[in-house]
Amino acid sequence: MSSSRLGLRLAACLLNISEARRKNVVEKIAKAALFEENGILVPRCSLFFPCSEKINCYAARTILGLGKEHSEVTVLNIFSDYDYNRSVITIAAPVENLVNSVLAACMEAFQVIDMEVQEGIHPCLGAVDLIPIYPLSGVGVKECGMVARSLAEKLTAHVPGCSVFLFGEADHPEKRSLVQRRKQLGWFSRREFSSLKPDIGIMPEKRCGLTGIGASPYVMNCNVTIDSQDLAAGKKIASIIRGSNVDGLRGVQAMAFPHDGKIEIACNVESFEDQKPIENSKYITYCILGHQYYYISPQFLEAQIRKLAHDQGIGIIGTALVGFTPQECKDCAEYALKEKIGEFWKKREGIFM
C-alpha cells in the first residue's frame, strides 16, 4: 500500500549520534523518538545539574508515566560502529510528526553523551552530530528545510548549551552543502568552540558540541572495506571516486578510515536532480512530487572501488549499506506505520530481509 493511499506525507531523519559502544544507551535514544507526552511540554531540560523539575526525557517520561508510544512514528534502523563510536538511527514519520520525535531523541542523547570524553575514529563536532531531514513521499525538499529550521530552533530552546549550524535547504538563503559547512567549521580537527559563531544558539558547551541540522534529497551511506592496512591507498581511492573530482562519481563523497584492522572507504551517496533524463545503468532513479532524482547504484560504486583497489594489488572484503536506499526507506516506513510497528529495527530482518 503506497503512502499516498495511506494519506501520509513521509519524511525521514538519519540521526547521527556520537555513541556506539553502549548499546543500551543507543537504544534508549532511539526509543525516545517513539514517545509522545500527552500534551505536557517541559520548557528546558537540565543537562548539568540535579533535576528540580520533571525532565523532558525518555527515562523521566517512562518512570513518571507522562508519555505513551506514538503510533505514527517508527525507528526503521539502528546502525552502530564501535571503531567510529558513531550510530545512525533512522526515524520515519509523517512530516508533521517528525520534529517532536527527533527532538525527543536528541534531548535524550544530550543527557547521556559527553563530548569532553567522547573518543572515536570518525570525525564529529557534537554529541548529536548530524540531523539530516529527507523527503520520502508526498513532501518536497523545501518543506523539509522548513522542518529542519523549526527543529533547530526548538532544540536550542530546550537544551542549554546546544548550538546548531545549518546546511542544505535549511541554510537559507545560501543553501550551503554539508561538505561546505563542515570544511568551514573544521570538522576533522575542531574540539575547541570558543571562536565559533553558530547559526542558531549560543556558543556551544563543550559537553554538547555543535550539531548540524539540514535538509536535502536522500543521502545513503555505503561503506566498502578493502583488504589492506594502507591508509594512503584508501585515501587515493576515495579521492578518485569523489564527485568533486572531474572524473569522479556524481553525488559521491568519500573518506578513508582505519577500521577493524583494515581500511574502509566510507561513502555518502547523494540523490540529485537533473534537468535532462539520465540514461545510464550506473544510476538509479526515483520520483517525489514530480521531481526526478538520481543516485549512484551501490553495486556500481562497489565495482568501481573493487577495480581501483585491484589496480593497486588490493582486494575488497565487503560492502555495508548503512540503512536503506531511498525506495527501501519509503517502503519500510509505509509498512511499519501501517502495521504500527514503532521498533521496526527489531523486526525488519523477518519482514524485508
Side-chain angles (χ1 to χ4, degrees), residues 294-327:
Y294 301 86
Y295 64 91
I296 286 287
S297 157
Q299 291 77 21
F300 183 84
L301 176 61
E302 179 187 298
Q304 289 298 103
I305 293 175
R306 184 188 297 274
K307 179 181 181 302
L308 291 167
H310 181 266
D311 291 345
Q312 299 187 60
I314 301 169
I316 72 168
I317 294 174
T319 300
L321 183 64
V322 181
F324 310 94
T325 66
Q327 187 64 46

Side-chain angles (χ1 to χ4, degrees), residues 10-16 90-93 95 98 130-137 139-141 144-145 167 178 214-221 268-270 286 288 329:
L10 297 178
C13 172
L14 271 62
L15 180 65
N16 286 237
T90 304
I91 304 166
V95 68
L98 194 60
L130 193 64
I131 310 175
I133 307 294
Y134 304 136
L136 294 180
S137 63
V139 60
V141 176
C144 286
F167 65 90
L178 178 59
S216 72
Y218 197 96
V219 178
M220 285 190 313
N221 305 111
N268 284 347
V269 180
E270 297 179 330
Y286 65 99
I288 299 178
C329 192

Side-chain angles (χ1 to χ4, degrees), residues 180-198:
Q180 287 176 292
R181 299 309 321 272
R182 281 174 162 171
K183 285 182 179 178
Q184 291 169 354
L185 296 164
W187 185 48
F188 282 95
S189 59
R190 183 184 295 275
R191 284 295 176 93
E192 174 55 54
F193 300 104
S194 59
S195 61
L196 185 66
K197 187 178 185 300

Side-chain angles (χ1 to χ4, degrees), residues 79 81 84 221-225 264-268 318-322:
F79 181 90
D81 189 287
Y84 290 174
N221 305 111
C222 187
N223 301 334
V224 181
T225 301
E264 185 168 81
I265 314 298
C267 303
N268 284 347
T319 300
L321 183 64
V322 181

Side-chain angles (χ1 to χ4, degrees), residues 14-18 86-89 126-132 182:
L14 271 62
L15 180 65
N16 286 237
I17 59 171
S18 299
R86 186 178 186 86
S87 295
V88 181
I89 301 170
V128 176
D129 196 54
L130 193 64
I131 310 175
R182 281 174 162 171

Side-chain angles (χ1 to χ4, degrees), residues 74-108:
T74 181
V75 176
L76 297 177
N77 190 59
I78 300 174
F79 181 90
S80 296
D81 189 287
Y82 185 93
D83 285 357
Y84 290 174
N85 202 11
R86 186 178 186 86
S87 295
V88 181
I89 301 170
T90 304
I91 304 166
V95 68
E96 60 270 16
N97 295 333
L98 194 60
V99 166
N100 285 340
S101 291
V102 175
L103 178 63
C106 291
M107 293 175 71
E108 186 66 37

Side-chain angles (χ1 to χ4, degrees), residues 117-131:
V117 298
Q118 197 271 357
E119 293 181 351
I121 292 172
H122 200 289
C124 58
L125 289 171
V128 176
D129 196 54
L130 193 64
I131 310 175

